[in-house]
Amino acid sequence: APKVLAEIPVDEGWQLGRPTVAAFRDINGSTNKFFLIVPSGPNKELSGRIVSDRAFKIRVYDLAQLANGVVSPVRTLDGPAGSGDLSFAMDPVSADYDLDYKAEAIYFGTVKAPATGVEFTGSLFKVNTGESANPASWSIQLVHDTQRPITIRPTLGLDDKNERYVYVGTGRLLSGLDTDSAVLQRIYGI
Protein backbone atom coordinates (compact mmCIF):
# COMPACT_ATOMS: atom_id res chain seq x y z
CA ALA A 1 0.00 0.00 0.00
CA PRO A 2 1.18 3.56 -0.66
CA LYS A 3 2.84 5.34 2.24
CA VAL A 4 2.73 9.08 2.90
CA LEU A 5 6.35 10.22 3.16
CA ALA A 6 5.72 13.73 4.41
CA GLU A 7 3.40 16.67 4.48
CA ILE A 8 5.20 19.68 3.08
CA PRO A 9 3.91 22.96 4.51
CA VAL A 10 3.19 25.71 2.02
CA ASP A 11 4.24 28.80 3.93
CA GLU A 12 4.25 31.36 1.14
CA GLY A 13 0.85 31.04 -0.52
CA TRP A 14 -1.19 28.48 -2.39
CA GLN A 15 0.23 25.38 -4.00
CA LEU A 16 -1.32 25.24 -7.49
CA GLY A 17 1.48 23.60 -9.47
CA ARG A 18 1.77 19.82 -9.30
CA PRO A 19 5.20 18.59 -8.19
CA THR A 20 7.33 16.19 -10.23
CA VAL A 21 10.12 13.75 -9.40
CA ALA A 22 13.63 13.89 -10.85
CA ALA A 23 15.50 10.58 -10.73
CA PHE A 24 19.26 9.98 -10.79
CA ARG A 25 20.28 6.31 -10.91
CA ASP A 26 23.32 4.38 -12.02
CA ILE A 27 22.72 0.87 -13.27
CA ASN A 28 25.50 -0.40 -10.99
CA GLY A 29 23.66 1.12 -7.99
CA SER A 30 26.31 3.67 -6.96
CA THR A 31 23.83 6.54 -7.31
CA ASN A 32 20.20 6.20 -6.36
CA LYS A 33 18.70 9.64 -5.67
CA PHE A 34 15.18 10.90 -6.15
CA PHE A 35 14.15 14.52 -5.72
CA LEU A 36 10.69 16.04 -5.39
CA ILE A 37 10.50 19.29 -7.38
CA VAL A 38 7.90 21.72 -5.98
CA PRO A 39 7.04 25.02 -7.73
CA SER A 40 6.01 28.11 -5.77
CA GLY A 41 2.43 29.21 -6.19
CA PRO A 42 0.54 32.49 -5.98
CA ASN A 43 0.07 34.06 -2.58
CA LYS A 44 -2.75 36.56 -2.85
CA GLU A 45 -5.89 37.72 -4.55
CA LEU A 46 -5.83 41.22 -5.95
CA SER A 47 -9.06 42.69 -7.32
CA GLY A 48 -10.38 39.18 -7.99
CA ARG A 49 -7.21 37.96 -9.76
CA ILE A 50 -4.88 35.28 -8.40
CA VAL A 51 -1.37 36.80 -8.25
CA SER A 52 1.99 36.67 -6.52
CA ASP A 53 3.82 39.56 -4.90
CA ARG A 54 7.22 37.87 -5.06
CA ALA A 55 9.48 36.07 -7.54
CA PHE A 56 8.96 32.39 -8.31
CA LYS A 57 10.97 29.66 -6.61
CA ILE A 58 11.59 25.99 -7.29
CA ARG A 59 12.11 23.91 -4.14
CA VAL A 60 14.02 20.63 -4.28
CA TYR A 61 13.37 17.96 -1.62
CA ASP A 62 15.37 14.76 -1.24
CA LEU A 63 12.82 11.93 -1.07
CA ALA A 64 15.07 9.85 1.20
CA GLN A 65 15.21 12.73 3.67
CA LEU A 66 11.43 13.17 3.48
CA ALA A 67 11.02 9.46 4.29
CA ASN A 68 13.19 10.03 7.38
CA GLY A 69 11.13 13.00 8.58
CA VAL A 70 13.36 15.82 7.30
CA VAL A 71 10.86 18.22 5.70
CA SER A 72 13.06 20.99 4.38
CA PRO A 73 14.35 21.60 0.86
CA VAL A 74 17.92 20.63 0.02
CA ARG A 75 17.93 23.53 -2.46
CA THR A 76 15.71 26.44 -3.38
CA LEU A 77 16.27 27.86 -6.84
CA ASP A 78 15.22 31.45 -7.49
CA GLY A 79 14.24 32.78 -10.89
CA PRO A 80 16.92 34.72 -12.78
CA ALA A 81 17.12 38.38 -11.76
CA GLY A 82 14.28 40.42 -13.21
CA SER A 83 12.67 37.51 -15.05
CA GLY A 84 10.50 36.27 -12.25
CA ASP A 85 9.38 39.36 -10.32
CA LEU A 86 5.74 39.11 -9.19
CA SER A 87 5.46 35.59 -10.56
CA PHE A 88 4.77 32.00 -9.66
CA ALA A 89 5.76 28.69 -11.22
CA MET A 90 3.48 25.91 -12.42
CA ASP A 91 3.59 22.16 -13.14
CA PRO A 92 7.22 21.12 -13.76
CA VAL A 93 8.16 18.04 -15.80
CA SER A 94 11.40 16.09 -15.50
CA ALA A 95 13.23 15.25 -18.74
CA ASP A 96 15.37 12.15 -19.30
CA TYR A 97 15.56 12.19 -23.11
CA ASP A 98 18.35 9.62 -23.40
CA LEU A 99 16.63 7.22 -20.94
CA ASP A 100 19.77 6.71 -18.85
CA TYR A 101 17.90 7.14 -15.53
CA LYS A 102 19.37 10.62 -15.00
CA ALA A 103 17.22 13.71 -15.46
CA GLU A 104 18.86 16.22 -17.79
CA ALA A 105 16.46 19.04 -17.06
CA ILE A 106 13.22 20.09 -15.42
CA TYR A 107 10.93 22.30 -17.51
CA PHE A 108 8.16 24.56 -16.16
CA GLY A 109 6.11 27.61 -17.05
CA THR A 110 5.50 30.79 -15.10
CA VAL A 111 2.74 33.31 -14.65
CA LYS A 112 3.87 36.89 -14.16
CA ALA A 113 1.66 39.73 -12.99
CA PRO A 114 1.35 42.63 -15.42
CA ALA A 115 3.45 45.70 -14.75
CA THR A 116 0.70 47.75 -16.35
CA GLY A 117 -2.69 46.81 -17.74
CA VAL A 118 -4.49 43.57 -16.96
CA GLU A 119 -2.87 40.92 -19.15
CA PHE A 120 -0.53 38.43 -17.52
CA THR A 121 2.73 37.30 -19.09
CA GLY A 122 4.95 34.29 -18.52
CA SER A 123 7.88 32.27 -19.75
CA LEU A 124 9.16 28.75 -20.19
CA PHE A 125 12.14 27.95 -17.94
CA LYS A 126 14.34 24.97 -17.33
CA VAL A 127 16.37 23.77 -14.40
CA ASN A 128 19.57 22.46 -15.95
CA THR A 129 20.65 19.49 -13.84
CA GLY A 130 23.55 18.37 -16.06
CA GLU A 131 22.51 14.82 -15.05
CA SER A 132 24.01 15.58 -11.64
CA ALA A 133 22.44 14.15 -8.46
CA ASN A 134 23.83 17.19 -6.62
CA PRO A 135 21.18 19.97 -6.61
CA ALA A 136 23.85 22.50 -5.56
CA SER A 137 25.14 22.35 -9.16
CA TRP A 138 21.73 22.96 -10.78
CA SER A 139 20.81 26.28 -12.41
CA ILE A 140 17.72 27.93 -13.87
CA GLN A 141 17.70 29.37 -17.36
CA LEU A 142 15.11 31.00 -19.57
CA VAL A 143 14.08 28.82 -22.52
CA HIS A 144 11.57 31.18 -24.14
CA ASP A 145 9.73 34.33 -23.12
CA THR A 146 6.21 33.55 -24.34
CA GLN A 147 4.87 36.90 -23.09
CA ARG A 148 1.80 34.87 -22.08
CA PRO A 149 1.08 32.89 -18.92
CA ILE A 150 1.86 29.17 -18.83
CA THR A 151 -0.26 27.24 -16.34
CA ILE A 152 0.00 23.72 -17.75
CA ARG A 153 2.74 21.10 -17.58
CA PRO A 154 5.01 21.08 -20.65
CA THR A 155 5.15 17.91 -22.74
CA LEU A 156 8.42 16.41 -23.97
CA GLY A 157 9.17 14.70 -27.27
CA LEU A 158 11.80 13.44 -29.69
CA ASP A 159 11.59 13.52 -33.46
CA ASP A 160 12.84 10.82 -35.85
CA LYS A 161 16.34 12.38 -35.71
CA ASN A 162 16.40 12.32 -31.88
CA GLU A 163 16.06 16.11 -31.72
CA ARG A 164 14.65 17.13 -28.34
CA TYR A 165 11.46 19.17 -28.08
CA VAL A 166 9.41 20.81 -25.37
CA TYR A 167 5.77 21.53 -26.20
CA VAL A 168 3.72 23.97 -24.15
CA GLY A 169 0.55 25.99 -24.46
CA THR A 170 -0.22 29.36 -22.93
CA GLY A 171 -3.29 30.59 -21.13
CA ARG A 172 -4.67 31.20 -17.69
CA LEU A 173 -7.99 30.37 -16.04
CA LEU A 174 -7.46 30.73 -12.30
CA SER A 175 -10.36 33.08 -11.54
CA GLY A 176 -13.54 34.23 -13.25
CA LEU A 177 -11.89 37.48 -14.34
CA ASP A 178 -9.40 35.53 -16.46
CA THR A 179 -12.21 34.85 -18.97
CA ASP A 180 -12.11 38.56 -19.86
CA SER A 181 -8.73 38.22 -21.57
CA ALA A 182 -8.81 38.86 -25.32
CA VAL A 183 -5.14 37.95 -25.89
CA LEU A 184 -4.60 35.23 -28.48
CA GLN A 185 -2.90 32.27 -26.77
CA ARG A 186 -0.31 30.04 -28.44
CA ILE A 187 1.09 26.53 -28.55
CA TYR A 188 4.88 26.22 -28.83
CA GLY A 189 7.18 23.43 -29.96
CA ILE A 190 10.69 24.42 -28.91
Side-chain angles (χ1 to χ4, degrees):
K3 176 185 172 189
V4 175
L5 294 181
E7 183 174 331
I8 299 171
V10 179
D11 57 354
E12 295 182 352
W14 306 305
Q15 185 61 49
L16 293 182
R18 294 173 291 171
T20 194
V21 172
F24 299 88
R25 298 189 69 185
D26 285 330
I27 296 202
N28 64 11
S30 62
T31 301
N32 193 23
K33 299 287 285 184
F34 296 86
F35 297 98
L36 183 67
I37 312 303
V38 180
S40 65
N43 66 341
K44 64 192 278 184
E45 183 179 342
L46 181 63
S47 302
R49 307 290 296 268
I50 306 299
V51 299
S52 177
D53 63 5
R54 64 188 186 284
F56 74 82
K57 295 179 183 302
I58 298 293
R59 290 183 180 82
V60 181
Y61 295 87
D62 184 319
L63 284 177
Q65 289 182 7
L66 286 176
N68 290 320
V70 179
V71 185
S72 60
V74 293
R75 174 93 193 269
T76 299
L77 295 135
D78 297 312
S83 65
D85 298 340
L86 305 176
S87 64
F88 56 93
M90 294 292 289
D91 296 0
V93 63
S94 180
D96 181 13
Y97 286 108
D98 57 7
L99 302 177
D100 66 352
Y101 307 106
K102 296 176 189 153
E104 292 104 16
I106 299 149
Y107 293 92
F108 62 94
T110 62
V111 176
K112 185 174 181 178
T116 59
V118 297
E119 297 298 341
F120 288 80
T121 63
S123 298
L124 179 65
F125 286 91
K126 98 174 182 179
V127 176
N128 185 5
T129 68
E131 293 193 346
S132 170
N134 178 7
S137 68
W138 299 0
S139 62
I140 289 183
Q141 68 186 70
L142 176 67
V143 175
H144 185 68
D145 181 5
T146 61
Q147 299 180 4
R148 288 159 176 76
I150 299 173
T151 58
I152 62 166
R153 183 181 306 261
T155 299
L156 307 173
L158 290 170
D159 68 11
D160 58 352
K161 296 177 183 166
N162 281 333
E163 294 292 327
R164 299 169 179 190
Y165 290 92
V166 179
Y167 302 97
V168 70
T170 65
R172 172 192 158 101
L173 188 55
L174 301 177
S175 74
L177 293 177
D178 290 336
T179 61
D180 295 341
S181 175
V183 172
L184 182 64
Q185 301 301 325
R186 297 180 177 161
I187 296 175
Y188 293 90
I190 300 170

